[in-house]
Amino acid sequence: MRMRKKKHADKRIQECMDYMRWNDMFEDGKPVYLEIGCGKGNFICDMAQKYPDANFIAVEKISDVIVIAMEKAKNLNLSNVKFMIADAKELESYINNSSISGIYLNFSDPWNKRYQHNKRLTHPLFLEVYKKILKPKSKIELKTDNQDFFDFSIRNLSSNGFNVENSTYDLYNSEFLNGNVQTEYEKNFVSQKIPICYLLALYNSYNS
């Protein structure tokens, strides 16, 4: 479904420009985590509140979506979350090598048709980008309701320098739920009793 254009989106983004100045987040010694595809920002804002000793950058390529997330962070007066309008495949153009401590992929578009699989955020083309910006022994955490995308992600991570440490097809009936922070999609899926797939993969640059 085509997203409705947000009214005065450009003006609203300009009013939140302080939340797009993310370069200084790498200068205070705190670990920096990325969420790729932040949607309306519930997850990243909750993470920023839960972990004040970490910094977070939320990446979204659709400005009409990210403006809502930025306004949410501004209303909460969060100082440890910033936003970037960019495509995931361009991240190495903005972020220094070996500077990110973890990446969150929450309910990414599964691009179900086979000819679309190269657009999946766990396709090797994207994993090569992540490997450049991730620190050694950093992590990728992924949640999805799509089992085919989940299996695809496990295969690609495992064959491209990542060790899948934890995985489950049903997060809410697993040992990995403790500390989980929900997204907007996740709350909806859980209310419908749709199982959530979850994995945590660690990256060691020396093994890739």
Side-chain angles (χ1 to χ4, degrees):
M1 184 173 65
R2 191 177 184 87
M3 179 171 294
R4 182 183 298 176
K5 184 77 175 173
K6 293 289 183 293
K7 192 172 183 180
H8 307 307
D10 291 342
K11 180 177 182 293
R12 289 162 63 186
I13 288 175
Q14 288 298 316
E15 292 172 349
C16 297
M17 281 305 293
D18 283 348
Y19 280 89
M20 296 190 73
R21 298 187 175 98
W22 43 264
N23 283 307
D24 59 351
M25 301 201 100
F26 296 95
E27 298 173 2
D28 64 5
K30 295 179 180 179
V32 181
Y33 297 89
L34 290 183
E35 183 188 16
I36 301 176
C38 69
K40 296 178 181 177
N42 280 12
F43 174 84
I44 205 68
C45 289
D46 286 349
M47 289 291 286
Q49 292 178 94
K50 186 173 182 178
Y51 300 102
D53 293 328
N55 287 327
F56 299 90
I57 300 174
V59 180
E60 176 62 59
K61 65 180 179 179
I62 303 174
S63 59
D64 282 356
V65 173
I66 203 170
V67 66
I68 298 173
M70 292 168 67
E71 289 173 340
K72 193 169 294 181
K74 183 178 180 180
N75 290 336
L76 292 168
N77 196 31
L78 296 173
S79 61
N80 62 331
V81 60
K82 297 294 173 72
F83 297 86
M84 180 190 303
I85 301 175
D87 192 299
K89 64 177 176 285
E90 300 170 352
L91 286 173
E92 62 183 301
S93 300
Y94 300 100
I95 297 173
N96 289 339
N97 287 356
S98 303
S99 60
I100 298 298
S101 294
I103 293 174
Y104 300 102
L105 301 175
N106 293 316
F107 302 93
S108 309
D109 191 328
W111 296 106
N112 287 315
K113 294 181 172 55
R114 183 170 292 276
Y115 71 85
Q116 297 174 320
H117 285 187
N118 63 347
K119 297 182 179 181
R120 288 177 164 181
L121 290 181
T122 51
H123 187 277
L125 292 173
F126 287 96
L127 295 182
E128 288 304 310
V129 174
Y130 306 156
K131 286 158 67 173
K132 291 176 182 175
I133 63 174
L134 284 169
K135 293 181 176 180
K137 300 183 180 179
S138 54
K139 68 178 182 178
I140 289 180
E141 286 192 70
L142 178 150
K143 289 188 284 189
T144 181
D145 64 307
N146 187 295
Q147 186 171 325
D148 177 68
F149 173 61
F150 187 68
D151 291 339
F152 173 94
S153 300
I154 288 179
R155 289 195 302 272
N156 282 325
L157 286 161
S158 298
S159 60
N160 285 276
F162 293 85
N163 296 319
V164 178
E165 299 286 312
N166 302 328
S167 67
T168 177
Y169 290 106
D170 190 355
L171 174 61
Y172 283 77
N173 287 295
S174 78
E175 61 186 297
F176 309 124
L177 185 60
N178 186 40
N180 179 60
V181 173
Q182 289 185 320
T183 74
E184 302 98 300
Y185 281 121
E186 187 172 351
K187 290 176 182 177
N188 183 46
F189 292 140
V190 171
S191 71
Q192 298 178 58
K193 301 189 183 306
I194 296 173
I196 305 301
C197 302
Y198 165 83
L199 69 81
L200 181 148
L202 299 181
Y203 170 55
N204 189 331
S205 64
Y206 306 111
N207 290 337
S208 61

